[in-house]
Amino acid sequence: DLHKEYRRQRQMCIRDSMHAAVEAKREEILAFVRELVSIRSVTGQEAPVAAVVEKKLRELGFDDVQTDRTGNVIGSVGTGATTILFDGHMDTVDVIDEDRWTYPPFSGQIADGNMYGRGTVDMKGALAISIYAAAIARDLGLLGGRKVYVAGSVMEEDYDGVAVHNLLRDLSLRPDYVIFGEATGMEICRGHNGRALIEITVHGKAAHGSRPELGINPVYRQQAVVARIEALAAKLSATPGEHGTLSLTNVNCVTASNNSVPESSSIVLDRRLCITENRQTIEQEMAFLLDGVDAEWKICDIPGVSWTGQPVLLRSYLPAWEIPEDSRLVQKAKEACRIVFDKPYDAVKLVYTTDAVATAGELGIPTIVLGPGDSNCHAHGTDEYCPVEELIRACEVYVQLCASL
């Protein structure tokens, strides 16, 4: 009993010192979030925000700071056998409705306890607080036996996982634990769905529009495929419990002109995959969808170029992943959230994808997603905002994780 009481008292003392240290940096942290939000940084154009992140890492005395070939910025503090990676992507979706925002989307305006601006939720806020959390944990002497990396990664919005995978490969880095700060409302995510983008091409025969009987219209042939897609999508959505989804998201024709019967027609499917689904699942579904139709399918490869000029290629099969509820990472995250927010926490799973498809899905590294803000309601939309208090408390949770993993 005395041992338990001593441990409890020590935890309270550490909690109080963490809280005081984060509060002492409150305005500095918020100023840094605001600075990041003020910089427009859509995918592939992150150079200005990368420069600011690198500068901040150096200002805070990170031991090693570098920018890799793809344009990811990474710094580290501490030494030891246990390695922890916090990651936050620096790119955001664009703003195309600026006139509809209550506050300018690149202002970081604080009103009614919230900070407004593109990236406050997705996810410059989490990147900023993870940088400060690692520095605070070091300054408090809490990193014994641990090395903490913080990365500002690129190209997440359009190329899930590619830049992070490149970062780990190029630095020969395999962390013991990874925390992505995507917005979860500070719920602990221990897994999420995967995704595949699939292109189906239906073949036909081109002809002049005035003589359609001389051609074979692939769009007409495509109707049978689309009907099967609609039926499969409805079946998946009606499946009880965890399940995947299917959406038809694009249609295109290859045609000589608007006066010609097309020679081919293609559609793109967004297939979200639950943990029990994989490539074989997709292959079986495609066999059903294309049965008896002159058509072919492929997983879409999406090429791109990072802000450094480095070519990247998204191979659009992104596996679902999960780690056990009783894993050390999940349990330590629960403990950290309980200490800071003083309430019990359970782990959840998400339906959307993140860069965790690289660390957890492809590389099998224990990973969680845990960050401030409500992604479902506020990410990508008009008047994106994150509660200020949640940003600050999330920074405390990250300090706890730096000290306990």
Side-chain angles (χ1 to χ4, degrees), residues 322-368:
E322 66 178 21
I323 63 172
E325 179 92 24
D326 61 358
S327 66
R328 177 177 173 79
L329 179 55
V330 170
Q331 292 304 307
K332 289 296 183 182
K334 286 184 178 183
E335 181 181 324
C337 287
R338 281 197 301 267
I339 289 171
V340 173
F341 292 103
D342 194 27
K343 64 178 182 180
Y345 271 82
D346 291 320
V348 300
K349 294 178 68 178
L350 303 176
V351 295
Y352 59 82
T353 59
T354 73
D355 275 337
V357 294
T359 60
E362 295 174 338
L363 300 175
I365 300 171
T367 300
I368 59 170

Side-chain angles (χ1 to χ4, degrees), residues 53-300:
V53 169
E54 181 176 345
K55 179 183 176 185
K56 180 60 69 174
L57 290 167
R58 295 189 188 282
E59 283 179 358
L60 293 175
F62 275 64
D63 300 328
D64 180 60
V65 179
Q66 56 184 303
T67 299
D68 74 354
R69 292 185 300 171
T70 310
N72 304 295
V73 183
I74 187 167
S76 65
V77 291
T79 58
T82 300
T83 53
I84 305 164
L85 171 65
F86 288 86
D87 180 274
H89 62 82
M90 300 183 291
D91 61 317
T92 71
V93 297
D94 204 356
V95 175
I96 59 173
D97 58 353
E98 191 163 347
D99 60 324
R100 293 174 52 202
W101 284 63
T102 305
Y103 305 100
F106 302 102
S107 66
Q109 174 73 42
I110 293 177
D112 302 321
N114 301 310
M115 182 182 289
Y116 289 82
R118 176 63 79 229
T120 49
V121 165
D122 191 14
M123 59 172 294
K124 291 175 176 178
L127 172 58
I129 63 173
S130 62
I131 290 171
Y132 269 89
I136 290 169
R138 174 205 59 199
D139 294 343
L140 292 174
L142 300 173
L143 293 183
R146 303 177 190 88
K147 186 171 186 176
V148 178
Y149 294 87
V150 181
S153 56
V154 297
M155 305 186 79
E156 187 273 347
E157 294 293 357
D158 295 331
Y159 298 86
D160 297 275
V162 174
V164 171
H165 201 142
N166 290 353
L167 172 70
L168 299 182
R169 180 199 63 206
D170 292 349
L171 298 184
S172 298
L173 176 62
R174 187 181 178 87
D176 295 299
Y177 305 106
V178 179
I179 298 99
F180 287 98
E182 291 279 9
T184 63
M186 294 308 293
E187 287 191 299
I188 301 154
C189 164
R190 65 178 186 90
H192 64 55
N193 280 359
R195 186 192 72 185
L197 288 179
I198 304 161
E199 182 179 44
I200 295 175
T201 300
V202 179
H203 301 290
K205 180 182 178 183
H208 195 281
S210 65
R211 298 294 304 276
E213 70 277 7
L214 299 180
I216 300 173
N217 197 314
V219 178
Y220 299 161
R221 286 181 163 183
Q222 203 172 62
Q223 291 181 82
V225 178
V226 172
R228 293 170 188 171
I229 291 168
E230 187 174 9
L232 178 58
K235 179 181 177 181
L236 289 169
S237 294
T239 302
E242 289 188 31
H243 59 80
T245 60
L246 179 65
S247 301
L248 195 163
T249 56
N250 204 344
V251 180
N252 183 57
C253 286
V254 175
T255 184
S257 73
N258 288 336
N259 302 314
S260 302
V261 173
E263 66 175 56
S264 67
S265 178
S266 62
I267 54 180
V268 175
L269 306 180
D270 181 315
R271 178 66 164 91
R272 301 292 163 138
L273 302 158
C274 69
I275 196 66
T276 59
E277 298 172 323
N278 52 31
R279 281 185 180 272
Q280 186 177 7
T281 307
I282 296 171
E283 291 169 0
Q284 292 171 347
E285 291 176 350
M286 291 304 108
F288 161 71
L289 294 176
L290 304 187
D291 185 34
V293 180
D294 183 12
E296 59 194 24
W297 69 275
K298 66 179 181 179
I299 301 289
C300 297

